[in-house]
Amino acid sequence: MKKIRHYPFLIVMVILILGISFINLIKKDTDFSEMENRYLAQKPELTLGNILDSSFGTQYETYVNEQFIFRNQWIGGKAITETLLGKQENNGVIKGKNGYLFNKQLNIDKQLKKNVKAIRDFGKNTNTKTYVSIVPNSYDILKDYLPKGTPNIDQEALIEQSYETLKEEKKITNIKLDNTLKEHKNEYIYYRTDHHWTTLGAYYGYLQFCKEQGLTPVDINSLTAHNVDNFYGTYDSKYKGIGIKPDTITYYQRPIEKMVIGNEEKSGLYDLEKTKVRDKYAMFLHGNNPISIIYSKENEQNQGKKLLLLKDSYGNSMIPYLTYNYQEIYVVDLRYYNDSISKLIEDKGIQTTFILYNFDTMMTDNHFYRLSR
């Protein structure tokens, strides 16, 4: 016992480790991290299958790491330390000029070719006219804001290759957005701290869509703008460095008849309660849902027109403009929608399909197989 007293640091460390371990055992698991804006791993169930394939150990390790006590403080401390050391990258996010954060994307996922082929096959088999837009991410359009020599994949070339494959099907029309976004790159078309384009960026995409179809677009200057300040997005959730300025979300109220999500009716396009939480972008379209049906107020432009929009969350900020041109919009997120797309088109008499995804999601999402249902 006397010898142990000669090692006070060791005693403190043992007590600290045992104390932390005990607290970790008794504390309630956290479902959602407001700081990281994502769901955390939950305690995995021990099964014969995950023992045989050795996945249980990996799952449990992830669970322990993500449920560790004081996790937010550790993440924040690490990020501040990285910043003070002069590093421009943390957790795969790069800090660029003018306060912009960018995703570091070095690997090309094989899923991209599968997804593009699934879209091409869908276009071949559907009875609707199909339009496709692959939206470039900020690290492709705002290259001048990246630190000099930053490695990243050639997104522009990959998008063009995808369009070449889709062009093989005559019923598919590609709507390229890279040039128009580059023309407006000095404007606020991407959030600094988030992976989405802004409503202004979405508006320029909307203009291209209308131009391709010969539609009359709504004039953005005729709409009343509303601002939501103090928005920190997904990139900031990963980077967590110091000195990051928040974004501002601008949205435009468009009158609609109603919006139906499941068995629930909404009177508007936005969930303004979400402006009070960290993930403020979730206000658009009340978040990502399997299917949402928007019934617009009838006008000379949208009378009798029906649109199927297959999208990721980039589409959420474009839809308010589309209500001007379509009386009914069927918004489907393939990540959550399990029913038949072809049956939906047939049952609802939909004339036009618009597939709108940002490149990073197009490259990694593994739910495009559902287009064949």
Side-chain angles (χ1 to χ4, degrees), residues 37 189 191 194-199 202 228 230-234 247-251 269-271 274-288 311-320 335 356 358:
N37 191 28
I189 59 173
Y191 295 111
D194 192 65
H195 70 283
H196 293 101
W197 57 3
T198 64
T199 46
V228 178
N230 205 38
F231 170 49
Y232 289 94
T234 52
D247 281 295
T248 296
I249 293 177
T250 299
Y251 68 97
L269 296 170
Y270 305 103
D271 180 2
K274 293 296 185 182
T275 63
K276 302 173 185 178
V277 301
R278 181 179 177 86
D279 186 15
K280 292 175 171 57
Y281 190 86
M283 64 174 283
F284 290 101
L285 249 66
H286 302 265
N288 295 312
K311 57 85 199 177
D312 61 10
S313 53
Y314 263 56
N316 295 8
S317 53
M318 184 192 284
I319 288 170
R335 292 171 293 184
L356 176 68
N358 81 83

Side-chain angles (χ1 to χ4, degrees), residues 46 60 74 107 152 282 299 343:
L46 183 64
Y60 197 83
W74 284 108
N107 300 314
N152 251 331
N299 61 48
K343 189 175 188 303

